[in-house]
Amino acid sequence: MIKKFVRTGLAVALPMALAACSAIDFGQDRIQYETSDSRAPLEIPPDLSSVPGSDRYTVPSRPQTVWASQQAQADASASNGTPANMVLLPQGEVAKIVREGNDRWIHVNMTPEMVWPIMQDFWTTVGLSLSRQDATTGVMETNWAENRAKLPQDIIRATLGRVVDLVYSTGERDQYRARVERTADGGCDIFVTHRAMVEVVKSMGGDNETTVWQPGPSDPEMEAEMLTRLAHRINQEFNPNSTKPSAAEHEAEVEKLATYQPENSISQLEQNAEGVATSIFIKEDFERAWRRLALAVDRMGFTVEDRDRSRGFFLVRYLDQEYEDQKRSEQGFWSNVFGKDTPVEAPQYVIYLQRLSDTECRVHVLGPDGKADTTGVAPRILTLLSEQTK
């Protein structure tokens, strides 16, 4: 049936393509997300699934007035306190993109309560929808979506791809997480991270094959793209007279942000005599180490249920594949047969950043009570975090 439908689509669409070739726009936009339910759903491996959080979709309180004198003071404080290796890219009067090494984020001279609704609306403007948002933790996460801009931009794609959409697929899905944190100057910082899933062919023996989804690398260019667009969106909201950058200026800005800057490794995975990971040593001050660790937590896709920068901890949920398999085996044969669709509850963990000195910190993974982890998963979490914080 599908093959017959494709042949019919070819017969109908090809003449349309030939007739309309002179009117086709071959614009090279970097993003064109597909959120339609017409495609097969993306089945995420259990250890990468977002654990449903509580229904704390709190509506932020009404915006507070920010006096011009307060904003000027915040601007002056930010400019005077900028480290030598931190670059502020001019983005307007309200939102500025900050880069420190290979970490980048948006600093906004407005409170999180004022910025949150703009962040909520932003994702629809780029073709994405939100799967989770929690104002109490300042985190919002998009649904997995396909970036159709990665498909070949030829005449067949420009016509037939829109008629018979099932014929085309990139084999990739993207997800974004945005996190907002209040800053000491009365404003906030916004961090955007990207996660990817890639469809790969898996042999089932003989000529039988199937496809499975596996984690792919995060894309710095897509993170830079979303940061830039969000910064411009915030500026236009609070400063309608701000000048919109041209396509060339936007492209140059994204390329500059996405360019990798070589830097010395500042984190080291610490292990005991048996080679089991026990902690991560980070040779940075607490603020930079927190920022680096928070970005790693975002890219790992942990469900953050609570966080406290002043005390240096994240309370997260994470379902490890080996842990899930172990729990299922403990349920017994009949429980697995009749309750195989019953999910294993994801345990809670505390990711704790310990301040050792003005230039050194250490990361621990503990149980929800702040004591040693009893699930045996802490060493694997530390290993994964170590790879993201190098």
Side-chain angles (χ1 to χ4, degrees):
M1 179 63 69
I2 293 178
K3 291 182 178 179
K4 180 180 179 181
F5 179 61
V6 171
R7 287 197 298 270
T8 304
L10 282 169
V12 172
L14 193 54
M16 294 169 54
L18 296 176
C21 61
S22 60
I24 293 172
D25 181 9
F26 291 100
Q28 296 296 318
D29 196 359
R30 185 179 276 106
I31 59 174
Q32 183 188 339
Y33 278 108
E34 171 71 53
T35 56
S36 171
D37 293 332
S38 62
R39 295 183 176 278
L42 172 60
E43 297 181 0
I44 307 298
D47 59 329
L48 291 175
S49 299
S50 292
V51 181
S54 60
D55 295 330
R56 298 178 295 179
Y57 297 163
T58 309
V59 177
S61 59
R62 15 178 338 190
Q64 303 174 2
T65 302
V66 179
W67 300 101
S69 59
Q70 293 175 328
Q71 184 163 330
Q73 182 179 1
D75 291 339
S77 174
S79 61
N80 292 336
T82 301
N85 65 336
M86 184 180 291
V87 180
L88 294 182
L89 303 180
Q91 297 292 326
E93 299 178 358
V94 177
K96 296 180 179 179
I97 297 183
V98 185
R99 176 164 186 168
E100 187 176 64
N102 289 304
D103 296 334
R104 48 214 180 279
W105 64 96
I106 304 172
H107 178 68
V108 187
N109 294 324
M110 296 289 177
T111 64
E113 290 81 3
M114 299 180 74
V115 175
W116 184 261
I118 301 172
M119 294 172 61
Q120 289 175 310
D121 295 338
F122 165 74
W123 298 106
T124 60
T125 67
V126 293
L128 295 168
S129 59
L130 289 174
S131 64
R132 187 172 70 93
Q133 52 180 318
D134 189 347
T136 61
T137 59
V139 174
M140 55 180 64
E141 195 170 79
T142 70
N143 285 295
W144 291 95
E146 180 181 33
N147 187 2
R148 308 288 287 168
K150 292 185 177 181
L151 290 170
Q153 299 298 316
D154 53 20
I155 193 169
I156 301 299
R157 158 67 181 129
T159 54
L160 183 60
R162 291 176 174 83
V163 177
V164 190
D165 196 42
L166 290 174
V167 174
Y168 291 92
S169 176
T170 62
E172 299 178 12
R173 298 294 185 272
D174 298 326
Q175 184 185 64
Y176 296 90
R177 174 179 289 187
R179 174 172 46 84
V180 58
E181 289 192 357
R182 195 181 305 274
T183 57
D185 62 5
C188 62
D189 289 336
I190 303 173
F191 303 84
V192 176
T193 51
H194 167 264
R195 297 172 66 205
M197 296 293 289
V198 181
E199 190 176 22
V200 298
V201 177
K202 181 179 180 181
S203 175
M204 303 296 291
D207 296 331
N208 297 325
E209 293 181 343
T210 186
T211 59
V212 295
W213 291 94
Q214 294 183 355
S218 60
D219 189 338
E221 190 173 87
M222 298 309 297
E223 290 183 359
E225 176 74 24
M226 291 302 179
L227 276 172
T228 305
R229 292 194 181 211
L230 180 55
H232 292 319
R233 174 72 180 83
I234 294 171
N235 277 321
Q236 289 174 0
E237 181 71 22
F238 291 109
N239 182 20
N241 296 323
S242 62
T243 305
K244 186 177 181 180
S246 65
E249 291 172 335
H250 174 81
E251 186 67 23
E253 188 177 344
V254 171
E255 292 295 334
K256 184 175 182 179
L257 280 176
T259 302
Y260 176 77
Q261 295 183 354
E263 56 181 348
N264 296 328
S265 177
I266 52 84
S267 70
Q268 178 181 356
L269 183 65
E270 299 178 318
Q271 301 174 323
N272 59 19
E274 289 74 32
V276 178
T278 57
S279 59
I280 303 172
F281 175 77
I282 300 181
K283 195 172 184 180
E284 278 187 324
D285 63 72
F286 182 86
E287 289 302 318
R288 295 183 185 181
W290 172 267
R291 199 157 47 231
R292 189 180 294 267
L293 179 61
L295 285 170
V297 169
D298 289 340
R299 292 192 178 104
M300 287 294 301
F302 293 116
T303 297
V304 180
E305 297 194 330
D306 195 8
R307 74 168 190 267
D308 189 330
R309 180 166 57 181
S310 63
R311 296 166 62 188
F313 78 83
F314 295 87
L315 179 62
V316 305
R317 284 192 181 272
Y318 175 71
L319 185 58
D320 179 76
Q321 182 67 63
E322 292 186 22
Y323 173 84
E324 183 184 26
D325 293 342
Q326 175 188 342
K327 286 299 179 183
R328 290 195 182 281
S329 65
E330 292 173 357
Q331 293 174 357
F333 174 77
W334 293 112
S335 296
N336 289 330
V337 171
F338 295 105
K340 61 181 180 181
D341 293 331
T342 303
V344 175
E345 183 180 5
Q348 286 183 322
Y349 301 93
V350 172
I351 301 176
Y352 172 57
L353 181 64
Q354 178 188 14
R355 190 196 308 263
L356 301 178
S357 67
D358 291 341
T359 59
E360 296 177 342
C361 297
R362 179 170 283 122
V363 180
H364 306 271
V365 175
L366 310 170
D369 55 359
K371 299 180 181 179
D373 167 50
T374 58
T375 66
V377 178
R380 291 194 285 275
I381 295 178
L382 284 167
T383 301
L384 295 171
L385 287 174
S386 175
E387 295 172 357
Q388 292 289 336
T389 55
K390 289 182 179 178

